[in-house]
Amino acid sequence: MSSMSDFVIENGVLMEYVGPGGDVVIPEGVTEIGQGAFSANEALTGVVFPEKLALIGRQAFLDCVNLKEVHLSGTVKTICQSAFHGCSSLEILELPSYVDLIEDYAFSGCKALSDSQGFVIVQGILFDYFGEGGDVVVPEGVEVIASRSLKRCDRIQREHVDLTSIVFPQSLTRIGDSILHHCDLEELVIPDQVTDIGDNAFENNRGLEKVVMSKSIVNIGNYAFTNCKIASLTLPDSLRTIGEGAFMNNRMAKIDLPDHIESIGKRAFDGQMYASFSMWVNQGTTTEKAAKKYIGKRKQMLSYNT
């Protein structure tokens, strides 16, 4: 049984746990669990949370490798980055039916939560993958692929698994940072509900030739497709932002840009195989302004549709 002396609590925030571990009962009145409060506590096996808990801070239970069960009340609204990262024995997870925000890495490394295909999915967010690679099909119902959730498919990872293809679900709306870089993908279809592709998402897929872009995409992150093999690409009218280096070092001879792009990051299209690479725009559009700012003195890169 826990005692008050096991906890350092300030204004309702549990700052640190200093008890012996085991099954811990957090005192009523605690509304937040602070950053790293239980981090790397290998003696912790279970936690009973207070009824009015609203937030679990960054790395709060990081690498609590023997924590097996988590039952959270309906008052919890935010689970911060890496809150339960590395809780490899966590096999029972009970959350409120709706949490306002679950940040990246919150449940990455929680192998015991993986389904029969090796996916760790919590409330529609894919956090990790422990499958065998090959032809991977992400289940329908997944809305977000969290940053680095498919890192075990990266060639640069120790004990990586080889990925030959991936199929994303139609339910997908957001792709996080660095999900599949250093892989061997040859083609990629981004489902039409996806609005955002994170930084470095598919960089260094050096055989990636074909990308079918979402018709709802708004933002393509920094270096998202750097060092691929893309020769042609259709970008939709929904696009507003192209990040720094997003398509750097590909094989495009030209790109037709839709009318409403607000910003094109530095080096976004630099390093194409064709020295005569050109950007085609409609005159008088928002895109024209963004393109002129991007190309600077390289005026030969800009062409106009007639």
Side-chain angles (χ1 to χ4, degrees):
M1 186 70 180
S2 304
S3 67
M4 288 300 295
S5 63
D6 294 339
F7 306 95
V8 178
I9 300 171
E10 298 179 5
N11 298 319
V13 180
L14 197 167
M15 306 299 294
E16 186 180 4
Y17 173 73
V18 293
D23 293 330
V24 173
V25 179
I26 298 175
E28 291 298 330
V30 169
T31 57
E32 296 184 14
I33 299 176
Q35 180 173 341
F38 291 86
S39 179
N41 189 323
E42 295 185 7
L44 184 70
T45 56
V47 182
V48 176
F49 294 92
E51 288 187 4
K52 294 184 178 180
L53 184 68
L55 181 145
I56 299 176
R58 292 177 56 139
Q59 303 177 351
F61 295 91
L62 175 73
D63 291 336
C64 291
V65 295
N66 291 304
L67 178 62
K68 295 182 178 180
E69 295 190 25
V70 168
H71 302 270
L72 293 172
S73 72
T75 59
V76 172
K77 298 301 181 185
T78 302
I79 301 175
C80 294
Q81 184 173 316
S82 302
F84 295 94
H85 175 88
C87 293
S88 54
S89 298
L90 181 61
E91 57 186 4
I92 298 176
L93 176 64
E94 182 180 348
L95 297 181
S97 58
Y98 181 75
V99 180
D100 289 345
L101 178 63
I102 305 178
E103 294 184 349
D104 281 348
Y105 314 110
F107 295 97
S108 59
C110 296
K111 188 173 184 179
L113 286 178
S114 58
D115 62 19
S116 60
Q117 300 301 311
F119 296 105
V120 177
I121 301 169
V122 177
Q123 290 197 348
I125 304 172
L126 173 61
F127 284 102
D128 215 329
Y129 173 67
F130 293 92
E132 298 179 355
D135 297 320
V136 173
V137 179
V138 179
E140 282 295 334
V142 169
E143 297 178 3
V144 176
I145 298 181
S147 296
R148 296 192 58 76
S149 57
L150 296 166
K151 60 184 179 296
R152 289 178 175 80
C153 299
D154 291 0
R155 292 190 309 272
I156 61 174
Q157 295 289 320
R158 294 180 60 186
E159 300 179 1
H160 78 279
V161 295
D162 292 327
L163 179 74
T164 53
S165 70
I166 189 162
V167 176
F168 294 125
Q170 293 303 307
S171 53
L172 191 64
T173 62
R174 183 170 69 84
I175 293 173
D177 299 344
S178 303
I179 66 158
L180 282 173
H181 56 7
H182 301 99
C183 293
D184 295 312
L185 293 172
E186 295 181 358
E187 61 180 71
L188 192 62
V189 177
I190 309 296
D192 281 341
Q193 291 194 70
V194 173
T195 61
D196 189 88
I197 297 174
D199 296 345
N200 309 96
F202 302 101
E203 71 166 331
N204 290 319
N205 276 266
R206 295 185 181 275
L208 182 59
E209 296 184 5
K210 182 180 180 181
V211 175
V212 179
M213 189 60 69
S214 163
K215 294 178 181 178
S216 303
I217 198 74
V218 174
N219 173 66
I220 298 173
N222 299 331
Y223 305 99
F225 294 92
T226 294
N227 295 331
C228 294
K229 202 177 178 180
I230 302 168
S232 64
L233 182 67
T234 300
L235 297 173
D237 290 339
S238 57
L239 185 61
R240 296 295 182 270
T241 305
I242 300 174
E244 180 174 331
F247 295 97
M248 187 168 66
N249 298 339
N250 276 269
R251 298 192 173 189
M252 288 182 274
K254 59 172 289 190
I255 186 75
D256 291 299
L257 297 177
D259 289 345
H260 305 292
I261 295 176
E262 297 168 359
S263 66
I264 302 173
K266 295 179 181 179
R267 302 185 296 280
F269 294 97
D270 285 12
Q272 302 301 319
M273 185 175 69
Y274 295 92
S276 60
F277 171 78
S278 58
M279 303 168 66
W280 288 76
V281 303
N282 287 321
Q283 198 165 13
T285 62
T286 303
T287 299
E288 182 191 13
K289 294 179 182 178
K292 284 183 174 180
K293 184 176 180 180
Y294 169 74
I295 63 175
K297 296 180 180 180
R298 301 173 294 177
K299 295 182 179 180
Q300 71 280 2
M301 288 180 60
L302 189 62
S303 296
Y304 288 97
N305 298 312
T306 56

